[in-house]
Amino acid sequence: MIERFDVIIIGSGAGGGTIAHALSDTGARILILERGDFVPQEEENWSPEAVWKDLRYRTGERWLDEAGREFLPYMHYNVGGNTKFWGSVLYRLRREDFGAVQHIDGISPAWPIDYDTLEPYYARAEALYQVRGTNGVDPTEPLRGAFPREAVPHSRGMSDIVDQLKRLGLHPSPLPLGLRDGCILCNTCNSFVCKLHAKSEADVCCVRPAMARQNVTLWTKAFARRLLADSGGERISAVEVERHGETLRVEAPLFIVACGAVNSAALLLRSATSARPEGLANSSGMVGTRYMAHLATMMEGFHPFRKNDTVFQKTVAINDFYFHGPDTPYPLGHIQSQGRTHAVMAQTVAPWIPLWAYDAWVSRGVDWLAMSEDLPSARNRVTVEPDGRIRLSYQPNNVKAHEQLVKETKRILHQLGFWYVMSYSHKNRNTTHQCGTLCFGTDPKASVLDPFCRAHDVPNLFVVDASFFPSSAAVNPALTIAAQALRVADHIKETEL
Ligand SMILES: Cc1cc2nc3c(=O)[nH]c(=O)nc-3n(C[C@H](O)[C@H](O)[C@H](O)COP(=O)(O)OP(=O)(O)OC[C@H]3O[C@@H](n4cnc5c(N)ncnc54)[C@H](O)[C@@H]3O)c2cc1C
Ligand code: SF4
């Protein structure tokens, strides 16, 4: 049987969930296809063993790296996508991120839209995801109105650190966080599912409210295998879906792809036809290229005689090196405090060290993340193997900027009195902030999507996940994904529905 809808959205994370919510009031018959299922509310949501040792919610799918070695990507396939597990740090890009910026390793390219174009949608996205913050403190912050909610207050320990940072001449600011009513500020937020549904994520903020409307249907465990286009590859008529062991064909006049930057590129590549052997929407040859993921290093300042009694630690940002370093005119990146590391999490790095030793360590540690922009490069790309497996070829660039940021962060933590600073990076296997594989732009030869995220080659195809980023900036990506999804939804309402 062939089913028909008015709009088919593939993926239910930051991009797909947000646009489903935004289009749900149109009356259009919307089908959301999601390859995963709902994550149950259960004890294991907050269990470090279940989450970090048993990898209970992680996909078991293996990808290949550049050299053809298998690895387990840090990915979750479920309703809400990776937002279920995010740290809910919901940042706007800086105004400068929308222009071309010179970095140590090259130029971070300009976006086809500017900050002012996205600003009203940032405000709407912050309202939808109930972001808490304080404006006017972060010196890099672009012009904006008040946050929907007051910032989460710092714990006593973090407040002391903020005072120390200010005495060092730095400008710490509150992290913008999406936390809903009922949040108890626990120590199992980032990388965990919120058992109370108090984290602002796409499942609870968008997908469930959208499904309350009769015109919205969600199929879980529904894997979109291929988009089926006409012989010229210029119009999609249907999507081939694998569900409950069957292969179905579902038709619609409009398709919105939001599978995440890697899987969306893979879907378009898998949708190649004899007329379009290079893949769908790929006349530019850019589908899958320019993959970016941030350079990220987790750091922990340790003091043997200072017990850390903070429960919710993730409230502080340092953007003093966002536009330049102390000794360099080039941007270094962003520093943010992190959720508490649990001994089980730390043990995944060096499993031979006993848990009690990690316990002693992490109870005296304060956790930070140093994050730098990586630059788009044609060689960093997603491809699909003949057997359907995803290959992710990625060599980090702008490494020197990141090394300097890590060095600065270490210097600051030592100045705060920490005896030792431990650091760890997933390096080229970090997939959490993946973006850039279907870049948007005005030139069809140099981009896959137009500035409203419509495929240049295929007018009835939009892509609204992290794929469209021309550059990765150095703050967390998801609020920008959500804001652009809202902008695209307005455009679709004006032009298509
Ligand atoms: C542990 C962790 C912490 C993070 N913390 C933050 C943070 O604090 N702030 C921030 O901004 N970002 C954070 N991120 C990143 C953020 O989650 C992502 O940037 C964001 O979710 C990307 O949105 P998306 O729509 O591109 O993809 P996703 O949210 O990943 O959604 C893609 C969806 O598509 C589905 N899908 C994929 N392929 C198919 C297919 N073929 N058929 C059907 N369905 C498919 C997937 O199952 C998934 O539900 C974090 C990520 C992780 C993993
Ligand atoms: S209660 Fe609050 S801090 Fe804890 S997981 Fe839920 S949203 Fe995060």
Side-chain angles (χ1 to χ4, degrees):
M1 194 182 75
I2 298 175
E3 300 237 25
R4 286 192 184 81
F5 291 83
D6 298 324
V7 183
I8 295 179
I9 300 171
I10 308 174
S12 64
T18 303
I19 204 163
H21 186 268
L23 294 178
S24 64
D25 63 2
T26 59
R29 288 181 319 120
I30 298 171
L31 172 66
I32 308 170
L33 294 174
E34 169 51 56
R35 71 189 288 174
D37 206 344
F38 283 99
V39 179
Q41 279 177 282
E42 55 184 6
E43 286 309 311
E44 288 86 346
N45 292 163
W46 281 347
S47 156
E49 283 77 16
V51 172
W52 279 91
K53 217 164 144 192
D54 308 339
L55 306 182
R56 183 175 178 85
Y57 306 110
R58 209 77 76 82
T59 175
E61 188 179 70
R62 299 285 198 284
W63 293 352
L64 302 176
D65 68 10
E66 197 166 26
R69 289 176 299 240
E70 276 196 345
F71 72 100
L72 192 62
Y74 191 175
M75 295 286 292
H76 308 85
Y77 296 146
N78 46 258
V79 178
N82 284 294
T83 72
K84 285 295 286 186
F85 300 85
W86 69 12
S88 229
V89 175
L90 295 177
Y91 257 110
R92 299 178 177 204
L93 298 195
R94 316 289 87 179
R95 177 180 286 280
E96 293 77 354
D97 290 324
F98 291 84
V101 180
Q102 180 71 52
H103 283 252
I104 294 177
D105 262 10
I107 293 196
S108 163
W111 289 38
I113 57 172
D114 59 11
Y115 172 75
D116 294 333
T117 306
L118 210 52
E119 199 286 331
Y121 298 100
Y122 271 134
R124 277 174 53 190
E126 284 172 346
L128 184 61
Y129 285 95
Q130 301 172 38
V131 181
R132 304 179 61 170
T134 309
N135 53 330
V137 183
D138 179 347
T140 67
E141 184 180 74
L143 197 65
R144 55 158 304 133
F147 280 87
R149 293 169 167 221
E150 278 297 298
V152 176
H154 301 305
S155 67
R156 194 168 44 83
M158 293 313 281
S159 199
D160 290 347
I161 286 181
V162 166
D163 290 342
Q164 282 179 288
L165 290 169
K166 285 184 186 160
R167 284 200 289 277
L168 294 175
L170 296 165
H171 301 83
S173 50
L175 267 182
L177 292 167
L179 300 174
R180 291 152 47 94
D181 288 341
C183 167
I184 57 167
L185 298 175
C186 69
N187 67 0
T188 44
C189 197
N190 187 25
S191 80
F192 294 84
V193 171
C194 180
K195 198 170 72 174
L196 307 178
H197 280 189
K199 179 153 62 173
S200 300
E201 35 87 346
D203 172 19
V204 296
C205 292
C206 300
V207 178
R208 290 178 200 238
M211 280 172 59
R213 295 186 190 260
Q214 289 208 326
N215 54 314
V216 179
T217 305
L218 168 71
W219 287 2
T220 56
K221 299 187 186 168
F223 176 71
R225 164 70 54 197
R226 302 177 66 225
L227 296 166
L228 305 173
D230 59 16
S231 56
E234 279 152 17
R235 193 163 183 85
I236 301 168
S237 53
V239 54
E240 199 177 276
V241 182
E242 289 169 12
R243 192 174 190 226
H244 305 318
E246 282 183 313
T247 301
L248 311 166
R249 183 187 157 101
V250 198
E251 296 184 345
L254 190 66
F255 290 82
I256 302 174
V257 168
C259 301
V262 171
N263 276 296
S264 286
L267 176 62
L268 297 194
L269 293 171
R270 281 200 305 269
S271 304
T273 59
S274 50
R276 290 280 177 213
E278 74 282 9
L280 202 60
N282 198 14
S283 65
S284 63
M286 292 180 67
V287 168
T289 67
R290 297 163 67 98
Y291 171 86
M292 293 167 280
H294 283 153
L295 303 162
T297 299
M298 304 294 302
M299 305 181 72
E300 192 173 56
F302 171 78
H303 192 296
F305 308 121
R306 247 193 243 163
K307 220 143 161 98
N308 178 3
D309 56 12
T310 295
V311 179
F312 190 85
Q313 187 175 250
K314 196 171 172 139
T315 55
V316 183
I318 304 169
N319 273 329
D320 290 82
F321 311 115
Y322 200 86
F323 297 130
H324 57 80
D327 315 312
T328 160
Y330 302 117
L332 299 189
H334 160 80
I335 304 166
Q336 63 184 236
S337 60
Q338 283 294 283
R340 293 296 302 267
T341 297
H342 298 262
V344 175
M345 289 159 74
Q347 203 184 32
T348 59
V349 178
W352 55 90
I353 299 176
L355 210 55
W356 62 261
Y358 280 115
D359 258 327
W361 172 274
V362 297
S363 62
R364 291 164 179 80
V366 178
D367 308 270
W368 301 84
L369 169 69
M371 188 158 73
S372 307
E373 180 162 354
D374 52 348
L375 303 171
S377 152
R379 63 170 292 189
N380 287 338
R381 65 187 305 170
V382 177
T383 48
V384 177
E385 296 291 293
D387 65 3
R389 279 191 300 175
I390 287 172
R391 183 186 284 246
L392 186 59
S393 306
Y394 178 67
Q395 288 303 326
N397 54 37
N398 220 16
V399 174
K400 210 161 154 200
H402 188 59
E403 284 170 356
Q404 287 184 23
L405 183 68
V406 169
K407 197 169 133 207
E408 275 310 309
T409 312
K410 274 191 181 156
R411 192 178 58 78
I412 293 167
L413 293 178
H414 284 305
Q415 283 179 320
L416 295 185
F418 292 105
W419 284 25
Y420 182 75
V421 179
M422 205 273 299
S423 57
Y424 176 74
S425 170
H426 288 286
K427 296 213 164 88
N428 57 349
R429 289 178 175 183
N430 172 29
T431 55
T432 56
H433 288 184
Q434 57 183 264
C435 64
T437 53
L438 304 166
C439 166
F440 77 157
T442 50
D443 180 359
K445 291 197 182 72
S447 54
V448 178
L449 309 171
D450 78 4
F452 283 108
C453 284
R454 188 195 294 263
H456 289 298
D457 300 349
V458 188
N460 70 334
L461 169 65
F462 289 82
V463 182
V464 296
D465 54 32
S467 312
F468 72 88
F469 281 40
S471 66
S472 68
V475 287
N476 311 57
L479 190 75
T480 302
I481 301 170
Q484 174 70 352
L486 294 175
R487 179 169 173 265
V488 174
D490 273 4
H491 180 70
I492 288 176
K493 284 179 182 176
E494 278 163 27
T495 59
E496 304 289 328
L497 298 178

